[in-house]
Amino acid sequence: MNLDHVSFAAQPDGLEATTERIANRLGIEPVKGGVHPRFGTRNMILPLTDHQYVEVVTVLEHPAAEKAPFGQAVRARSDAGGGWLGWVVEVPDLAPFEAKLGRPSVPGGRLFPDGRQLEWHQIGVKGLISDPQLPFMVHFDSEDEMHPSQARITDVRLCGMEIAGSPDRVTEWLGGPVEDVLGSLDVTWCAPNGTPGVMTVSFDTPDGTVTI
């Protein structure tokens, strides 16, 4: 298991403006993602090193957004002003989490401009909704070359996070030490002042460390 990406819900001025603001701070040219038909959402991508990326996401006026937990989560975070929605762990097999949570993973997908389809399965968004410190889990079904981190070569690296919550709680959720998932990231856990969840994310850039 490893940290795959961090997700940022669009702020009141919309997906493009939110993405551009983050991109300018990091010195990354954003990449258009696409629509997630099953979730009623749309995203843009900021590729990072180490097979990781930032997803900036907005909810659409689409029936799927009312039914899909991910659409519900994005809408709630954006309605609250936007900001860090959560973090996502890539796993080699979702079966243990399906067994633990007692439900199947759900398929996701979006269409590339050249007609290729990026496909994955995910589970755990309901856990994120109830306890935002918890990551949800994803397994990509498509070839590695289609992973969002491969959309553009960058020299910006995710280097740290501040999470309001408990590493013991996240370890229980993941079924293994959270430290193993986070690897060399510098993660600070703080007692929640209100709702738990991702507070800040830090990046190593050519111009120094940037914290958002």
Side-chain angles (χ1 to χ4, degrees), residues 111-133:
L111 200 62
F112 275 38
D114 61 8
R116 293 181 298 165
Q117 179 86 4
L118 175 64
E119 297 180 322
W120 67 89
H121 280 74
Q122 64 186 48
I123 194 170
V125 176
K126 290 181 179 179
L128 165 72
I129 292 173
S130 63
D131 190 355
Q133 67 179 299

Side-chain angles (χ1 to χ4, degrees), residues 35-182:
V35 172
H36 309 131
R38 295 185 179 96
F39 306 146
T41 55
R42 181 168 69 93
N43 72 355
M44 295 185 73
I45 302 297
L46 299 171
L48 305 171
T49 64
D50 303 323
H51 209 262
Q52 296 172 335
Y53 64 98
V54 177
E55 170 192 49
V56 186
V57 62
T58 191
V59 70
L60 304 173
E61 294 303 325
H62 189 284
E66 304 301 325
K67 298 179 180 179
F70 187 68
Q72 295 169 4
V74 175
R75 184 182 298 281
R77 190 69 180 94
S78 287
D79 286 350
W84 291 114
L85 174 66
W87 53 297
V88 184
V89 174
E90 183 179 16
V91 300
D93 184 8
L94 288 171
F97 298 98
E98 293 174 325
K100 178 180 179 178
L101 297 176
R103 57 180 180 269
S105 58
V106 298
R110 63 176 172 84
L111 200 62
F112 275 38
D114 61 8
R116 293 181 298 165
Q117 179 86 4
L118 175 64
E119 297 180 322
W120 67 89
H121 280 74
Q122 64 186 48
I123 194 170
V125 176
K126 290 181 179 179
L128 165 72
I129 292 173
S130 63
D131 190 355
Q133 67 179 299
L134 301 178
F136 67 90
M137 286 64 70
V138 63
H139 175 79
F140 287 94
D141 304 311
S142 300
E143 298 84 357
D144 188 63
E145 65 184 23
M146 295 181 66
H147 188 268
S149 67
Q150 305 303 302
R152 192 183 305 285
I153 297 175
T154 68
D155 53 3
V156 177
R157 182 178 69 89
L158 197 159
C159 64
M161 293 195 296
E162 181 182 9
I163 302 174
S166 163
D168 293 338
R169 172 73 178 103
V170 180
T171 290
E172 177 190 14
W173 172 250
L174 291 173
V178 66
E179 293 82 6
D180 291 349
V181 175
L182 295 170

